[in-house]
Amino acid sequence: MEKLVEMGILFDFYGKLLSEKQYRVIDLYYINDFSLAEIGEEINISRQGVYDILKRAENRLVQYEDKLGLVKKFKDTNEKVKIILNLTNDIMMLMEKKKLSEINSKLQYIQKISQEIIEEG
């Protein structure tokens, strides 16, 4: 299951960089849940041919991530945004209690994380 999710994410980010045939095989196998035999029938090649294309396409997607790191950057940014959302919720509760020093501290942390996101982008 984990590989399915990983390949789906890599495909979302880098799929258009694959050849047409590689794109089609990955799409049919991971997105549409076709078997190797079904894909072979669909694109008129042997099951072994499908397997070879699939493995080359998977390797290429991993190589793109290794070189470009867009998925990692996306995940890191997503985690930082979650932190910011939690901090803003905390601030809203602190405002009701008028705890200004704690509010100030959390706002500074939000500012720091936001700056990191901007600099990484």
Side-chain angles (χ1 to χ4, degrees):
M1 183 62 148
E2 189 174 310
K3 184 174 182 179
L4 174 70
V5 172
E6 178 187 357
M7 281 299 139
I9 292 169
L10 290 174
F11 185 65
D12 284 345
F13 276 83
Y14 305 113
K16 294 296 183 183
L17 300 174
L18 298 172
S19 71
E20 266 185 58
K21 195 171 271 190
Q22 288 173 334
Y23 182 93
R24 182 110 165 97
V25 167
I26 291 280
D27 181 56
L28 290 172
Y29 187 77
Y30 284 107
I31 309 304
N32 295 297
D33 200 28
F34 278 38
S35 70
L36 297 179
E38 290 171 324
I39 296 169
E41 287 178 25
E42 182 79 18
I43 62 176
N44 205 24
I45 62 172
S46 70
R47 184 186 178 286
Q48 183 63 45
V50 172
Y51 178 81
D52 292 343
I53 292 170
L54 181 63
K55 290 302 159 195
R56 278 195 303 273
E58 290 172 349
N59 288 336
R60 180 151 291 162
L61 291 172
V62 170
Q63 288 172 352
Y64 288 139
E65 176 58 18
D66 288 345
K67 288 181 182 176
L68 301 173
L70 297 178
V71 174
K72 182 184 180 323
K73 188 179 286 189
F74 175 79
K75 287 179 180 179
D76 290 347
T77 300
N78 198 36
E79 285 304 310
K80 289 177 179 177
V81 169
K82 286 178 186 177
I83 292 169
I84 289 171
L85 286 172
N86 288 334
L87 289 167
T88 55
N89 288 334
D90 291 349
I91 289 169
M92 292 171 81
M93 288 190 322
L94 290 168
M95 286 176 66
E96 291 175 12
K97 298 176 185 176
K98 299 186 191 290
K99 297 197 174 199
L100 296 179
S101 65
E102 291 179 50
I103 292 171
N104 188 44
S105 175
K106 291 185 184 292
L107 286 171
Q108 287 176 356
Y109 191 43
I110 289 173
Q111 201 171 31
K112 177 184 178 280
I113 294 171
S114 299
Q115 190 62 42
E116 287 175 4
I117 291 171
I118 291 168
E119 289 172 1
E120 291 169 359

